[in-house]
Amino acid sequence: MNYQNALAFAKQMDAADPLKHFRKEFYFPKYRNREVIYFTGNSLGLQPKTSKKYFNAVLKDWAKHGVEGHFEGDTPWLSYHEALGKPLAKLTGSKPSEVVAMNHLTSNIHFLLVSFYKPTIKRYKILCEAKAFPSDQYLLASQAQFHGYNPDEAIIEIAPRTGEHNIRSEDILTTIEKHKHELALIFFGGINYFTGQVFDMKRIAKTAHKVGIPVGFDLAHAIGNIKLNLHEWDVDFAAWCSYKYLNSGPGNIGGIFIHEKHHRKELPRFAGWWGHDKNTRFNMGKNFSPIPSAEGWQVSTANTLGLSIHRASLDIFERAGMDALLKKSKTLTDYLAFIIECVNTEKGNPKKRLEIITPKNEKGCQLSVIAHGQGKNLFHKLMANGVIPDWREPNVIRMAPVPLYNSFEDIYRFGEILKRLL
Ligand SMILES: Cc1ncc(COP(=O)(O)O)c(C=O)c1O
């Protein structure tokens, strides 16, 4: 693609974009009463305008049917979550029986580790990426402690080599090989939240399985952003949140994937009635008999109000189609990288000023940028000038042009603002 740093070019790209009409389906926030360029879908996706309709339908059924809403109405609450199975399966490359929307991300990973982190005297270590999102670091450390291990010993982190920003794929594979006799689990982000690096989930899973180690992924930054093929990649388990690229609202319901090869009743788990066999759930019997699918990991009554907004958003993904979104995402993100490089060139000292640390060929739509000599100051100036990226300590500005609602013109205009600010 021959990109141009010109408004006419950006407008032409937008005019030719088959997904352009989706932008109108979202509410764009204002910052200090002015329109913004929103680049923070990697943190909190925008609100679909249809959310209210889906949400109000549940409120209406509640008003009309009371408790009978579990069984009455257009979408009875007892099975409401089932309607999300298919779209979530499409987004994760899995079977509908392998996914379920439930709980929240960190709590779901804890639940999944009950089934998949089974340390023994010899094999008790967990391999993960260095500088994972703090919640993942805390949860892994607390799991190791819960099982009686010192996290400093039990957790092996793979870091980028000195002077590099990203973890080399070959280093992950050789570390697995090196520690294969002491590892009980490999747990990685699908995408590192800080650098935006996409990890090779397929190769990690394959290498780990050769030496008998289960593999799980935190897909917070991956779902709705990159192509996932969890079933075929033979990933054991995964979890995600719905408030980033899935645009389902702050703190809304998360989801899990469990490969169908693990859908055995005998696999240990922390149980609750919502995971119990649907045919006998209301017999109120004593013994837990899990649903033989990912649903068997559910614990509590589904949060139908949260699910309703999640559903509104997933319906948009169904209409847009992930393949079309991925195509646009690549063109849009590469355009952002091009514009940043144009600003570097115009301002001189091209290598040093704005350094994109996200690897070119291992990325979704997020670019992480170190603004040398500017730091947080530039982030504040961008905010004050109507651009909303986000800042991650100690030194990164993250920007994510989201294919559902960002445009080429957004990126062109961002470049003009950036030039003025530097
Ligand atoms: C990679 C990653 N993991 C975990 C979390 C925490 O998710 P939650 O607060 O929904 O448990 C986040 C939140 O942004 C995240 O980015």
Side-chain angles (χ1 to χ4, degrees), residues 42-43 103-109 129 132-136 139 187 189-193 218-221 240-244 251-252 254 392 398:
N42 59 325
S43 180
N103 307 337
H104 294 89
L105 176 53
T106 310
S107 33
N108 277 336
I109 301 171
E129 87 230 59
F133 188 79
S135 205
D136 290 12
L139 82 87
F187 188 76
I191 295 183
N192 180 271
Y193 83 100
D218 173 341
L219 300 178
H221 290 266
W240 54 86
C241 56
S242 66
Y243 44 80
K244 299 180 187 292
N252 201 359
R392 283 291 170 260
R398 303 187 305 178

Side-chain angles (χ1 to χ4, degrees), residues 219-417:
L219 300 178
H221 290 266
I223 192 163
N225 177 20
I226 59 167
K227 179 95 179 153
L228 295 169
N229 240 328
L230 300 182
H231 178 86
E232 196 197 304
W233 295 344
D234 205 22
V235 168
D236 294 288
F237 68 96
W240 54 86
C241 56
S242 66
Y243 44 80
K244 299 180 187 292
Y245 297 102
L246 296 190
N247 309 316
S248 299
N252 201 359
I253 210 149
I256 63 163
F257 162 89
I258 297 179
H259 198 284
E260 68 178 355
K261 69 187 176 187
H262 297 301
H263 295 177
R264 298 186 315 275
K265 286 186 176 190
E266 302 74 37
L267 202 64
R269 72 197 74 186
F270 283 168
W273 82 311
W274 215 252
H276 186 90
D277 182 352
K278 291 175 200 175
N279 298 316
T280 55
R281 188 191 280 155
F282 283 95
N283 292 354
M284 306 315 217
K286 181 171 162 47
N287 295 322
F288 176 67
S289 173
I291 302 166
S293 71
E295 282 192 66
W297 272 262
Q298 294 174 109
V299 180
S300 292
T301 311
N303 169 1
T304 315
L305 285 166
L307 284 171
S308 69
I309 296 178
H310 195 14
R311 189 172 178 194
S313 170
L314 293 181
D315 283 356
I316 297 176
F317 276 89
E318 285 283 280
R319 282 190 283 118
M322 202 57 206
D323 287 344
L325 285 167
L326 291 171
K327 202 168 157 206
K328 177 173 171 190
S329 173
K330 177 160 176 25
T331 324
L332 205 59
T333 310
D334 285 348
Y335 189 49
L336 177 59
F338 166 82
I339 291 289
I340 290 172
E341 291 313 331
C342 287
V343 174
N344 270 336
T345 311
E346 276 188 41
K347 292 283 166 184
N349 197 8
K351 282 230 171 74
K352 287 279 177 275
R353 192 177 291 267
L354 297 169
E355 184 189 0
I356 300 173
I357 63 167
T358 310
K360 205 166 180 221
N361 298 317
E362 294 172 326
K363 68 176 182 340
C365 72
Q366 172 186 320
L367 293 183
S368 299
V369 174
I370 298 178
H372 293 284
Q374 294 277 335
K376 204 165 186 179
N377 191 27
L378 177 63
F379 164 73
H380 287 308
K381 285 201 257 176
L382 285 168
M383 292 284 288
N385 282 275
V387 181
I388 309 209
D390 75 1
W391 171 259
R392 283 291 170 260
E393 295 294 347
N395 59 354
V396 151
I397 298 177
R398 303 187 305 178
M399 306 165 212
V402 171
L404 264 177
Y405 48 74
N406 281 119
S407 65
F408 290 86
E409 190 172 333
D410 281 343
I411 292 170
Y412 169 78
R413 292 197 183 283
F414 162 71
E416 292 301 289
I417 294 170

Side-chain angles (χ1 to χ4, degrees), residues 71-134:
F71 315 100
E72 302 285 338
D74 290 340
T75 321
W77 309 328
L78 206 60
S79 54
Y80 197 102
H81 63 279
E82 291 172 18
L84 285 76
K86 260 197 195 154
L88 286 173
K90 272 199 211 163
L91 290 176
T92 52
S94 48
K95 300 184 176 181
S97 62
E98 292 175 314
V99 292
V100 65
M102 64 179 218
N103 307 337
H104 294 89
L105 176 53
T106 310
S107 33
N108 277 336
I109 301 171
H110 276 299
F111 278 119
L112 290 169
L113 293 197
V114 172
S115 300
F116 292 98
Y117 178 47
K118 289 180 280 185
T120 62
I121 292 176
K122 275 197 178 152
R123 295 181 90 152
Y124 63 93
K125 297 195 177 179
I126 304 173
L127 185 71
C128 64
E129 87 230 59
K131 295 198 178 150
F133 188 79

Side-chain angles (χ1 to χ4, degrees), residues 4-155:
Q4 293 167 29
N5 187 5
L7 181 58
F9 172 81
K11 281 183 185 279
Q12 191 188 324
M13 291 296 286
D14 285 331
D17 170 15
L19 299 174
K20 59 176 176 287
H21 49 280
F22 283 103
R23 183 178 171 93
K24 289 204 272 322
E25 298 199 25
F26 291 88
Y27 289 111
F28 277 73
K30 293 207 165 135
Y31 184 70
R32 295 184 184 153
N33 274 333
R34 60 189 283 191
E35 305 283 331
V36 296
I37 297 171
Y38 195 79
F39 279 163
T40 328
N42 59 325
S43 180
L44 182 75
L46 292 181
Q47 184 186 141
K49 290 181 180 166
T50 47
S51 306
K52 278 195 200 80
K53 187 176 115 199
Y54 287 67
F55 190 79
N56 284 340
V58 177
L59 288 181
K60 197 169 135 228
D61 279 344
W62 181 20
K64 191 168 165 197
H65 302 294
V67 70
E68 289 303 306
H70 284 98
F71 315 100
E72 302 285 338
D74 290 340
T75 321
W77 309 328
L78 206 60
S79 54
Y80 197 102
H81 63 279
E82 291 172 18
L84 285 76
K86 260 197 195 154
L88 286 173
K90 272 199 211 163
L91 290 176
T92 52
S94 48
K95 300 184 176 181
S97 62
E98 292 175 314
V99 292
V100 65
M102 64 179 218
N103 307 337
H104 294 89
L105 176 53
T106 310
S107 33
N108 277 336
I109 301 171
H110 276 299
F111 278 119
L112 290 169
L113 293 197
V114 172
S115 300
F116 292 98
Y117 178 47
K118 289 180 280 185
T120 62
I121 292 176
K122 275 197 178 152
R123 295 181 90 152
Y124 63 93
K125 297 195 177 179
I126 304 173
L127 185 71
C128 64
E129 87 230 59
K131 295 198 178 150
F133 188 79
S135 205
D136 290 12
Q137 298 183 43
Y138 308 152
L139 82 87
L140 293 179
S142 66
Q143 283 278 342
Q145 271 165 335
F146 174 75
H147 286 280
Y149 300 101
N150 174 356
D152 293 340
E153 258 177 50
I155 294 174

